[in-house]
Amino acid sequence: MISVKEAKSIIQKHIPQLGTETVSLNKVGNRVLAQDITAKFPMPRFDNSAMDGFAVRASDTKGASQMNPVTLKMVSVSSAGSPSDVTVGLGECAQCMTGGKLPDGADAVVMVENTSGFSVRGSVRVFLETHRGKHVRKIGEEIQEGEVLIPNGTRITPGEIGTLATFGYGEVSVIKKPKLAIFGTGDELIEPGNKLMHGQIYNSNLYMFAELAERVGADVIIRNVIKDDRESLRSFLSEALKSCDVVVSSGGVSMGRFDYVREVFMELGVREHFWKVAQKPGKPMFFGTDETTLIFGLPGNPVSSYIGFMEWVWPVLETMMGIPEQKFLTGILKESFPREKVKYRFLFGKAWMEAGTIMCKSSAKTGSHMLSSSLEANCILISENGDSPLQPGEEIRINILPWKTIG
Ligand code: AMP
Ligand code: MG
């Protein structure tokens, strides 16, 4: 049995970097950028109106008020998409809609509400004195041409997608998705939706793995439930080793009479780096590699599989995709936390803010078979080994589940 720290450092040495590929804009959600995104032009691209109104020369509106309006001659219309090439001269104005190019000569916009509005006779009364630049969006005021907008390595979310579109990127270079094989093993497993016979249980782990893979941004290319027999294991696992970057299996790696997963991996030429880590849950965890594939054999109890994926597989997939390691948070325990003498302890938990401090507590359900401990959880709490439980008020490390918030 090796320590969590040793196990992490062994895994670190075997994580490959994935290549890149070009993907069209409507497919880039949740992908990781493999290029800096720069502004191809300034933003705004030209001086334009922030309001529906009239583009004027500010000096022409001097002294204008409700009682004493200034009358200007309307010489042109500029709307978004139809810029005017007329120059606004002394005593003139142009109707100008939001986003419309500010016509040459004009230097301010008066909101339509402060004028007599559009008139077919071609003159407009202005009821408000304005000043240069009012309601004008200046060229480059938001972004300069050439500026790095989104750095290489950024995970693409809606804001990034909108920004890529704004600057005309129809496609971008991103890191390839890790190719994943996920397996459930066990003679007892039945697919949800079918009737359970005596002694059978529903396969939950594979569904969790698939969802986790989707969320982290990996491509599940092989997904199977395998019986506890060497031949089936051999044929499925060897296929996965040929075509995947990472293989994750659940079950079959403990000390049971029918736990063949580890043996079969080794028969297939996988090099074992460790089996059994000083952690609870998930002690009999297997990690191996062959030339091109990382292999994680997670124990089958659902909490061991879920936490195992989050603590071991997820960060590896992120590193493969070039995402920097996440900083962990520290919280203050509201209730005691059951430490283990020689093992790290992972438990689902809840974290919330109290007077500016992150408070937390672990689920009262501590069994590795108790998947309902994940339902109220927004985090995994992690403690190093120790002789006695951590007490309320003591610090503990928190790993917030990426799709949850503190609260
Ligand atoms: P194992 O690691 O194969 O000894 O399995 C440990 C426990 O987890 C057993 O009670 C299994 O029935 C259960 N288990 C294994 N695989 C799954 C799965 N895919 N979904 C739900 N429970 C599982
Ligand atoms: Mg089993």
Side-chain angles (χ1 to χ4, degrees), residues 19 90 194 258 267 282 320 326 336:
L90 269 182
N194 296 298
F258 307 108
E267 281 166 28
M320 288 172 94
Q326 307 293 311
S336 69

Side-chain angles (χ1 to χ4, degrees), residues 25 37 143 149-150 157-169:
L25 184 62
I37 298 298
I143 289 158
L149 294 166
I150 316 172
T157 71
E160 282 80 27
I161 294 180
T163 303
L164 288 166
T166 302
F167 286 89
Y169 285 87

Side-chain angles (χ1 to χ4, degrees), residues 183-186 188-189 201-208 225 228 250-256 258-259 284 298-302 305 368-369:
F183 293 110
T185 69
E188 72 280 29
L189 301 178
I201 63 165
Y202 289 122
N203 160 32
S204 57
N205 296 348
L206 210 49
Y207 291 85
M208 289 194 294
V225 179
D228 287 318
S250 95
V253 283
S254 304
M255 304 293 286
F258 307 108
D259 289 343
L298 304 177
N301 269 311
S305 274
S368 62
H369 55 299

Side-chain angles (χ1 to χ4, degrees), residues 99-228:
K101 181 176 181 298
L102 194 76
D104 290 345
D107 56 18
V109 171
V110 180
M111 284 163 67
V112 69
E113 293 86 336
N114 294 318
T115 70
S116 56
F118 175 75
S119 125
V120 278
R121 291 211 316 280
S123 70
V124 177
R125 277 171 298 140
V126 173
F127 301 120
L128 189 74
E129 179 176 329
T130 189
H131 58 84
R132 284 183 72 161
K134 185 75 180 169
H135 299 318
V136 175
R137 302 166 175 163
K138 293 295 288 179
I139 180 170
E141 73 175 16
E142 182 191 355
I143 289 158
Q144 302 282 311
E145 183 171 346
E147 216 177 283
V148 174
L149 294 166
I150 316 172
N152 194 344
T154 304
R155 174 90 78 162
I156 299 174
T157 71
E160 282 80 27
I161 294 180
T163 303
L164 288 166
T166 302
F167 286 89
Y169 285 87
E171 54 182 31
V172 284
S173 174
V174 294
I175 310 284
K176 282 188 175 161
K177 286 182 164 199
K179 288 190 259 166
L180 207 60
I182 52 177
F183 293 110
T185 69
D187 290 345
E188 72 280 29
L189 301 178
I190 291 292
E191 288 305 281
N194 296 298
K195 201 166 164 346
L196 284 179
M197 309 298 269
H198 188 58
Q200 295 179 324
I201 63 165
Y202 289 122
N203 160 32
S204 57
N205 296 348
L206 210 49
Y207 291 85
M208 289 194 294
F209 285 172
E211 180 61 21
L212 290 166
E214 168 84 27
R215 286 180 187 266
V216 74
D219 236 351
V220 174
I221 60 168
I222 299 181
R223 168 186 175 148
N224 255 310
V225 179
I226 320 174
K227 293 279 178 217
D228 287 318

Side-chain angles (χ1 to χ4, degrees), residues 54-67:
F54 293 87
V56 300
R57 299 161 76 102
S59 53
D60 280 351
T61 67
K62 199 158 175 34
S65 69
Q66 199 69 38
M67 303 301 291

